[in-house]
Amino acid sequence: MNNTDDSDRLRAQVRSWLERNVPRDWRQTVTGADQDFFVRQQRDWFSRLVEAGYATPHWPEGWPGGGRSLAEQKVIYEEVARADAPRLILFFVALYHSACTLIEWGTAAQKEKYLPGILKGQVWCQGFSEPNAGSDLAAVRTRAELRGDRYVINGQKTWSTLAQHADRCLLLVRTGKSEPPQGGLTYLLLDMRSKGVSVRPIAQITGDDEFSEIFFDDVEVPVEDRVGEEGQGWAVAQSTLSSERGLTLVELTQRMRYSLARFPTLMRERGRFDDPILRRELGGLIARVDAVCALADRYLLKRISGEEAAGDASLVKLNYARTLREFTLLGLRIGGLESQYREGFTRGGSQETGNWAVDFMNSYNWSIAGGSDEIQRNIIAERLLGMPREPRTWQLPVERS
C-alpha cells in the first residue's frame, strides 16, 4: 500500500462491506447449535467472503482478492476483527496451512488440482500431532511404506481440528529410519474418504468435539500426492506451521482488544463497577492486551520489511496464549458465580464470546494448538536468543526418599 489515503480507502471499503454482510445475531444462533448447523453457517459465510475477495487476500495475484500486500492484508484482518465477524474455523486449515504449503512447495499439477477446490468449499484437516509425540514432530511414528506407485500408511493422529468434516488431510508420516529423526519424514496429501481411514471425535470439557483422532489401516496415497521429496517432510511442515503464526495472530489480538469493551459493561451489570481490585486488574489487563497487539504489529512490520527472524512469530503466539488466559479469567471473576454456569458452546467464535466459563476452558487450546508453549519457548531460546539446544536425553530429576 503506497500511502495513508490508499489504506483509508481500503478500510472504508472493507468496513462498508462487512456492515452489509456479517450475519446478524450469528453468535446467538450458533450458541448451543449442533455441528450440522455450524457447518451450514460456516459455508454460507465462507462463500460470501470468497465472492468479495476477502477470504484469500494472502493468496497470489490471479486468485479472488489475491496479491494483496501485507499492509493491505492487515487492514482487512483488523476490520474483520472490529466487525466481530465469525471466524472461518472450518476452512482455516484449507485457506492457510494447505494453500500456503501448496503455493510454496506444490507441483503445478497439485496447485491446479487442489487450490480451486478450496475456494469451492473443500474442507482440510491437519494430521501432524500423535499420541506420545504431541507437538514434537520429530517423534512422529505413523509410518508410510512405498509400494510401487503408492504409499501404504498405518498409525494414528490426534488433536486434528474438525477432521470429522474434512475432505482431505495434510499428513506427516515417517518413511525412513535416518538420523536425525527429522530426516525420515515425508509429507502427503490424503483423501479422507480413502479405504482404511476412520475418524473418532474427542469429547472436550467445553461440551464441543472440535478435535478428532484419525486412524490409518493400510491406507493408500498415490505418489503424485507427495509434497516435496521423500524425507523432506520436516522442511515442508515448517512452512505449514509458519502460515498460522503470522496475520492470524494480528486478527486474534485485535479481536481481544475490541472485546475489552465487554468488561466495563459486565462490571456495571454485576454492580461491581467501583470495585477497586477489579478496576486495577482491568487496568493491568488493558496494558497487557495493548502490549501483545504491539508485539503482533511489530512482527508484521518486520515481515513487511523482510527483517523477520526465526522465533519472532513464536514470541507473539506465546504472549497471546498467556494474555488470553488472563483475559478469560478476569471475565470469569467479574461475572461471579453466575458466569460459572455452563452455557452452550459458541462454535465459530473466538475465546472472547462472553460465555466466560467456556471461554476460560477453551483458552487453554492456545497453549497447545500450533505448537505447545514449551515448543514455542524452545524456538525462542534456540533460534531468537541463540541459546544452546535442549539436550535430547534431558529428564526431570526424580527425588528419592
Side-chain angles (χ1 to χ4, degrees), residues 248-299:
T248 302
L249 288 166
V250 172
E251 179 193 341
L252 290 170
T253 54
Q254 289 297 324
R255 281 181 182 270
M256 192 159 54
R257 170 180 274 168
Y258 286 118
S259 295
L260 282 170
R262 293 173 181 273
F263 288 108
T265 303
L266 184 62
M267 289 167 71
R268 288 192 180 92
E269 289 175 353
R270 296 292 188 270
R272 306 180 72 182
F273 189 74
D274 294 324
D275 186 319
I277 296 176
L278 290 179
R279 290 170 73 100
R280 185 174 64 241
E281 291 184 9
L282 177 58
L285 178 65
I286 291 171
R288 285 191 287 278
V289 171
D290 280 346
V292 78
C293 286
L295 266 179
D297 284 350
R298 190 180 70 165
Y299 166 71

Side-chain angles (χ1 to χ4, degrees), residues 156-167:
Q156 177 189 354
K157 297 291 179 178
T158 191
W159 305 120
S160 296
T161 304
L162 296 169
Q164 61 269 47
H165 301 291
D167 302 296

Side-chain angles (χ1 to χ4, degrees), residues 135-374:
S135 298
D136 184 5
L137 301 185
V140 161
R141 292 191 298 183
T142 294
R143 291 204 61 84
E145 180 183 348
L146 184 59
R147 299 178 188 172
D149 62 350
R150 292 179 176 272
Y151 286 97
V152 178
I153 303 160
N154 285 281
Q156 177 189 354
K157 297 291 179 178
T158 191
W159 305 120
S160 296
T161 304
L162 296 169
Q164 61 269 47
H165 301 291
D167 302 296
R168 308 218 45 118
C169 176
L170 301 171
L171 187 62
L172 195 62
V173 294
R174 184 161 299 285
T175 50
K177 301 178 181 177
S178 61
E179 295 293 340
Q182 292 90 335
L185 298 173
T186 297
Y187 201 108
L188 303 174
L189 307 176
L190 168 73
D191 185 342
M192 290 292 282
R193 293 180 294 273
S194 301
K195 182 182 178 183
V197 176
S198 56
V199 179
R200 185 168 65 190
I202 300 171
Q204 298 165 223
I205 193 171
T206 57
D208 191 27
D209 50 5
E210 180 183 0
F211 304 115
S212 291
E213 297 173 290
I214 311 175
F215 300 88
F216 310 95
D217 184 10
D218 285 335
V219 176
E220 296 185 356
V221 175
V223 170
E224 59 260 32
D225 280 339
R226 183 187 69 212
V227 183
E229 299 299 324
E230 184 170 305
Q232 208 172 17
W234 177 267
V236 182
Q238 298 312 305
S239 297
T240 303
L241 294 173
S242 67
S243 69
E244 72 178 13
R245 296 173 187 163
L247 284 160
T248 302
L249 288 166
V250 172
E251 179 193 341
L252 290 170
T253 54
Q254 289 297 324
R255 281 181 182 270
M256 192 159 54
R257 170 180 274 168
Y258 286 118
S259 295
L260 282 170
R262 293 173 181 273
F263 288 108
T265 303
L266 184 62
M267 289 167 71
R268 288 192 180 92
E269 289 175 353
R270 296 292 188 270
R272 306 180 72 182
F273 189 74
D274 294 324
D275 186 319
I277 296 176
L278 290 179
R279 290 170 73 100
R280 185 174 64 241
E281 291 184 9
L282 177 58
L285 178 65
I286 291 171
R288 285 191 287 278
V289 171
D290 280 346
V292 78
C293 286
L295 266 179
D297 284 350
R298 190 180 70 165
Y299 166 71
L300 188 63
L301 287 174
K302 292 178 78 171
R303 283 198 73 174
I304 292 173
S305 60
E307 297 175 355
E308 178 187 358
D312 282 342
S314 295
L315 200 60
V316 185
K317 200 256 185 188
L318 185 66
N319 279 279
Y320 170 73
R322 185 166 57 190
T323 306
L324 181 63
R325 286 197 299 274
E326 295 172 358
F327 183 101
T328 55
L329 179 60
L330 184 57
L332 199 59
R333 292 190 60 238
I334 295 174
L337 184 61
E338 188 177 333
S339 72
Q340 296 180 37
Y341 298 158
R342 177 179 294 185
E343 299 180 14
F345 185 66
T346 305
R347 303 177 195 278
S350 298
Q351 282 83 3
E352 309 95 17
T353 66
N355 186 356
W356 296 111
V358 174
D359 287 348
F360 177 67
M361 292 186 284
N362 205 28
S363 70
Y364 280 82
N365 283 351
W366 271 95
S367 299
I368 302 172
S372 67
D373 285 358
E374 289 76 14

